[in-house]
Amino acid sequence: MPRSKIAGIGMYVPKNVVTNNDLKKYMDTSDEWIQERTGIKERRYADRTKETTATMGIEAAKIAIERAGITPQDIDFIVFATICPDYYFPGCGVLVQRAMKMKEVGALDVRDQCSGFIYALSTADQFIRTGMYKNILVVASEKHSFGLDFSTRGRNITVIFGDGAGAVVLQPTDDENRGILSTHLHCDGNNAEILAMYNPGTHANYWTNGNKLADFNEAEIGEMFMSHAMIDHAQNFPNMDGPTVFKIAVEKFPEVIMEALNANNYQTSDLRLLIPHQANLRISQFVQKKLRLTDEQVYNNIQKYGNTTAASIPIALCEAYEMGKIKEGDLVCLAAFGSGFTWASALLKW
Ligand code: UT7
């Protein structure tokens, strides 16, 4: 059975740089607070009307496809990971197929938040290993800036997120020294509501565990996905208990990284590069310390882009590759933790 290799990689970030001080125009925050708690100095915001999650993903995909030495017409399957789709439905995968004039191939949208890229990569990997497809485009893209609460009420979340996209092309390889060695996917739905955007949704004010979301009466709940009262209560924005997420993230990141290394009989010292999902620089530093990794073994770029959810790993991987930090045959680990909770890792030889 062949393995899959990353044959091409690309990234796209919007031109518009938004500094921490720029955010002070909208909310009560400070550059010191944001840098100290998250490491973030600036992030990019997409053009409000001209750029979407799909269009950014397409820009990243163009580069990945060109670097793989193929054309969009060679792609035989699309996997698209995002939490900010252009439409509630259909998903972004079909928009990529249309815009890039691809054949009438399958397109799958993945909804696994910060772990979305690794879930998408793992799915694509299975299709390559079974021989079903030869050129799979995996895209991860997020236009967070269009759906954040820019008042002080939303500051704990809004300052963290940024926009951007990354993409890879997966192809089969028989080379023993290259390719995706294994992927490891997990979830624990017990904390589903701790980091979530409740609306639009079909829950009608009750969490699936029976707890009431807010004190709405029947009329306020409405009959559609979202009512005026829900908007008045800011339920169209993401919601997060940051400290709880932080506490579990620093447990699960090392666990899932070690799971990938152990599954392939490697040790942390064998790692050329760890690319953790860029959630918070303090989380990455905690993981680095716990696993006794050197500064050279961990790549972070949250300082420049903030947290771009599903896109953060392919953006960081692409940058590290372009900077010459990864060479053919190097052992690379990707790891993520986020809403769901979901967490995941992938171990690969570049
Ligand atoms: O990628 C998805 C997964 N997400 C994560 O992994 C996020 C994990 N969590 C975190 O990164 C951190 O919890 C945050 C960066 C979100 C928050 O940092 P924290 O150190 O946990 O702060 P906190 O939420 O405990 O808030 C501390 C204080 C509060 O004020 P009081 O109650 O102590 O007076 C907040 O209201 O900081 C306040 N605060 C802010 N102040 C200035 C919250 N957000 C801001 C802000 N600017 N943007």
Side-chain angles (χ1 to χ4, degrees), residues 229-243:
M230 288 172 177
I231 293 174
D232 291 343
H233 283 78
Q235 292 205 353
N236 52 324
F237 294 123
N239 190 64
M240 174 169 77
D241 169 357

Side-chain angles (χ1 to χ4, degrees), residues 28-29 33 37-38 114 155-156 159-160 195 240 242-243 245-246 277 279-280 282-283 307:
D28 180 13
T29 190
W33 191 96
R37 307 277 176 143
T38 71
C114 304
R155 65 182 179 175
N156 69 320
V159 300
I160 297 175
L195 172 47
M240 174 169 77
V245 179
F246 194 105
H277 160 56
N280 182 325
R282 285 165 56 212
I283 294 179
N307 178 346

